[in-house]
Amino acid sequence: MATPLTPAQVEQLKRLAKKLAREQSIPLHEAQRRLAAENGYENWSLLHKRSVSTHKGVLLVRAVPLAASETPELPVIVTGGLNREYLHGDQHEVHLNRFFCRSCDEFVAPEHFFEHHDRQETLGRALDALTLWHLPSNENAEMRPDNAHNILEDDARREEIAFQHSRGAFHRWLERHKGKRSRIGDLAVDVLGDKKFPVAVKSVEEAVSYLHSRFASDGAVKAMQQAWRQFETVKSA
């Protein structure tokens, strides 16, 4: 069983991961995975969770000035006391040119988000975190300032609006079946979770062609054909 690491040990491993990534020309997440395995953890996220309180899109840290010898992208992490939670894309309260990247669990320069991560994925992560944070049921809401600046928020919200406007009638109809215990309900979960699905699809042939391009099973194709028949029936009623 892996031994929980101290915040200082986690910071040291972060530095080692960056060094390993540079020296071996591998992605940072691969370097982190290797170091996590060497320390008895299945992945980097589990290693981090055993020493730092985190959840999706959020990091619990203390916003304090860094010593002159410390690099700005390495926050001072604590497990108690007065804390501040950072969402994916949130600006550091002291080092204003650094923003929290949940994917890498560190503060980074603004260009990092789109240079090292898929644009759609990183904006989606930010929007998910912001949406969850502002839910009335969120008991931790007071641990993030109301005026906190998130560098990804404006782009994330604009692209979400554009996405909603681009959705076709079938995609919206399918959403109403999400969660139902049926073949179409299962299809709805898969389609709505697929960021590359053509949301403006206008024919069953187009939808099935996409499934084939993704090497979908015969069962998924049949479910799509069944869903489209039901959709056409409702549309023409």
Side-chain angles (χ1 to χ4, degrees):
M1 183 176 180
T3 302
L5 302 175
T6 67
Q9 289 173 317
V10 173
E11 294 301 336
Q12 183 179 21
L13 286 176
K14 284 183 178 180
R15 295 185 181 95
L16 288 175
K18 289 181 178 180
K19 182 179 180 183
L20 180 63
R22 287 194 302 268
E23 291 179 348
Q24 298 193 11
S25 299
I26 60 175
L28 177 61
H29 65 80
E30 172 60 20
Q32 291 173 335
R33 185 195 66 78
R34 293 183 186 181
L35 291 178
E38 290 177 5
N39 284 273
Y41 292 88
E42 185 177 347
N43 53 55
W44 183 262
S45 180
L46 288 177
L47 178 151
H48 204 266
K49 286 178 181 178
R50 291 295 299 274
S51 58
V52 182
S53 298
T54 64
H55 59 79
K56 184 179 181 181
V58 178
L59 173 68
L60 183 63
V61 306
R62 184 172 225 164
V64 298
L66 301 177
S69 61
E70 295 179 295
T71 54
E73 70 270 25
L74 297 175
V76 179
I77 304 176
V78 297
T79 55
L82 296 175
N83 301 298
R84 150 80 154 93
E85 293 201 28
Y86 285 86
L87 307 186
H88 185 63
D90 271 3
Q91 183 181 47
H92 194 283
E93 291 183 331
V94 177
H95 299 277
L96 303 183
N97 63 338
R98 289 290 188 252
F99 302 83
F100 179 60
C101 175
R102 180 64 186 89
S103 301
C104 300
D105 288 325
E106 63 182 346
F107 286 92
V108 299
E111 59 271 18
H112 167 93
F113 292 99
F114 300 139
E115 288 183 356
H116 296 275
H117 303 292
D118 176 77
R119 177 182 178 85
Q120 188 176 37
E121 180 180 338
T122 203
L123 290 179
R125 180 184 286 274
L127 187 61
D128 286 346
L130 287 162
T131 300
L132 290 171
W133 192 258
H134 292 301
L135 288 178
S137 59
N138 186 357
E139 297 178 354
N140 297 321
E142 73 282 359
M143 300 180 73
R144 178 175 182 264
D146 291 335
N147 63 345
H149 174 56
N150 187 293
I151 195 174
L152 302 175
E153 182 170 7
D154 288 345
D155 281 347
R157 296 197 184 284
R158 277 195 296 267
E159 295 208 4
E160 175 62 15
I161 291 172
F163 168 75
Q164 292 300 331
H165 286 165
S166 70
R167 295 175 66 202
F170 176 72
H171 197 262
R172 295 180 185 279
W173 175 86
L174 200 58
E175 185 175 32
R176 298 199 294 270
H177 293 265
K178 183 180 179 180
K180 294 184 178 180
R181 300 181 62 181
S182 66
R183 177 186 288 184
I184 295 178
D186 292 340
L187 175 70
V189 172
D190 292 339
V191 167
L192 295 170
D194 184 352
K195 301 300 183 182
K196 296 184 178 180
F197 185 85
V199 298
V201 60
K202 291 182 169 56
S203 70
V204 65
E205 291 79 14
E206 183 184 356
V208 168
S209 176
Y210 173 78
L211 292 184
H212 285 317
S213 74
R214 304 289 286 179
F215 304 101
S217 66
D218 291 340
V221 172
K222 290 179 180 178
M224 178 63 76
Q225 293 168 335
Q226 178 186 351
W228 200 276
R229 286 194 296 269
Q230 290 191 22
F231 165 67
E232 291 285 1
T233 300
V234 172
K235 187 174 68 171
S236 60

